[in-house]
Amino acid sequence: MTAGSDERYGGRIDSAQPSRLPKSYLVRTELEEILSDMSEGDPVPSERDLAVRFEVARETVRQALRDLLVEGRIRRQGRGTVVSRPKMVQPLSLRSYTEGAISFGRVPGRLLVNWEDVPADADTADVLGLALGTPVMHLERVLLADGERIGLESTFLPLARFRALYDTYDPTTSLYAAVRASGIELGRATERIETVLASPREAALLECTTALPLLLLNRRSVDGKGEPIERVRSLYRGDRIAFEAQLSR
């Protein structure tokens, strides 16, 4: 804390700090110290209160709060802001989303958006080894953790291979479990991760703004014989989830 700081909320921004650092960054640094002593659900001081305590403009405080909101350290609740729960950490593996969420102590869920046959576009046809326009199964779902929307998953499957899922599969449950139950084991997958912004439709489904950075995962999975199983495009809220991988030589 800076000299003369308030015991709970911090004090003014020290003018001795390097001038090249934006004031909003310095405010955010002070706020991170405050948040470290708070618990999930605790109310964050108001913009006005923080502006007075740090002796900066409210817009400076607002920018610092925006940064912490994007990082997932805080969240909106009603008209106020509270400390957010830690991000869910999802392993990069062939385990299903359900298994990953449960291992982190969260309750997984899914909301069905679309489930239909569509003609394979060029990318889908290439990934699944099909001719352009071949019918494929398209399954689009919102991913939930403890009822909170954290992801949007769009899966394409070869229709000829997985048509029976229409009769046997509950789309609110794990797709990988259903694939394994059909006698098909996932062998390996290639996954690419990027950062993107949501389209208006995606933002509405994820209950976020189009300015929130999202993690985009594109996956191609095959079975033990190298036969394509799926093409998956998943969007995850960057303020709600993080990914980790185990690396070894």
Side-chain angles (χ1 to χ4, degrees):
M1 293 295 178
T2 55
S5 64
D6 180 88
E7 195 171 78
R8 291 187 305 153
Y9 298 148
R12 63 181 178 81
I13 295 300
D14 190 347
S15 60
Q17 295 269 15
S19 59
R20 65 179 179 274
L21 295 177
K23 284 186 178 181
S24 62
Y25 175 83
L26 301 177
V27 170
R28 189 182 74 184
T29 300
E30 292 285 338
L31 283 172
E32 286 174 341
E33 289 193 34
I34 295 171
L35 296 177
S36 67
D37 294 326
M38 300 172 69
S39 301
E40 178 189 338
D42 286 348
V44 178
S46 68
E47 289 181 7
R48 180 178 180 180
D49 188 17
L50 292 171
V52 170
R53 292 177 186 278
F54 293 136
E55 298 183 8
V56 296
R58 288 184 64 173
E59 180 55 38
T60 300
V61 172
R62 190 171 297 125
Q63 180 59 56
L65 291 173
R66 279 197 213 104
D67 291 347
L68 292 171
L69 193 67
V70 168
E71 291 174 9
R73 297 292 306 278
I74 60 177
R75 61 182 173 84
R76 301 296 187 195
Q77 183 170 291
R79 294 186 177 182
T81 304
V82 300
V83 178
S84 184
R85 67 170 58 185
K87 290 184 182 182
M88 190 176 90
V89 180
Q90 182 83 346
L92 288 172
S93 69
L94 284 176
R95 292 198 303 170
S96 70
Y97 167 74
T98 296
E99 294 171 301
I102 291 174
S103 69
F104 199 71
R106 305 290 288 274
V107 178
R110 294 168 179 82
L111 297 175
L112 181 62
V113 180
N114 284 307
W115 192 9
E116 59 186 351
D117 295 348
V118 298
D121 60 19
D123 289 338
T124 301
D126 181 59
V127 168
L128 297 181
L130 301 171
L132 182 65
T134 300
V136 295
M137 180 183 294
H138 177 219
L139 180 62
E140 184 180 33
R141 299 174 296 174
V142 173
L143 304 179
L144 308 174
D146 295 337
E148 184 177 41
R149 300 185 181 209
I150 67 170
L152 178 63
E153 184 179 79
S154 188
T155 304
F156 298 87
L157 302 143
L159 182 61
R161 192 176 193 188
F162 294 102
R163 188 187 305 273
L165 289 177
Y166 280 126
D167 299 320
T168 62
Y169 176 55
D170 175 359
T172 66
T173 62
S174 168
L175 177 60
Y176 280 8
V179 169
R180 293 189 183 104
S182 71
I184 298 173
E185 288 293 332
L186 282 83
R188 65 181 186 276
T190 302
E191 196 150 47
R192 176 175 175 173
I193 305 175
E194 305 175 59
T195 304
V196 297
L197 296 177
S199 68
R201 176 182 180 272
E202 292 164 343
L205 288 170
L206 288 172
E207 296 182 345
C208 66
T209 71
T210 55
L212 179 71
L214 303 178
L215 296 170
L216 168 63
L217 280 67
N218 281 296
R219 170 181 285 199
R220 177 182 186 266
S221 302
V222 299
D223 62 18
K225 297 179 180 179
E227 292 295 318
I229 292 178
E230 62 175 357
R231 176 200 176 200
V232 185
R233 181 182 187 273
S234 302
L235 286 170
Y236 290 93
R237 290 183 52 157
D239 61 338
R240 293 290 180 264
I241 193 168
F243 291 90
E244 68 176 11
Q246 296 291 329
L247 305 176
S248 61
R249 295 184 62 180

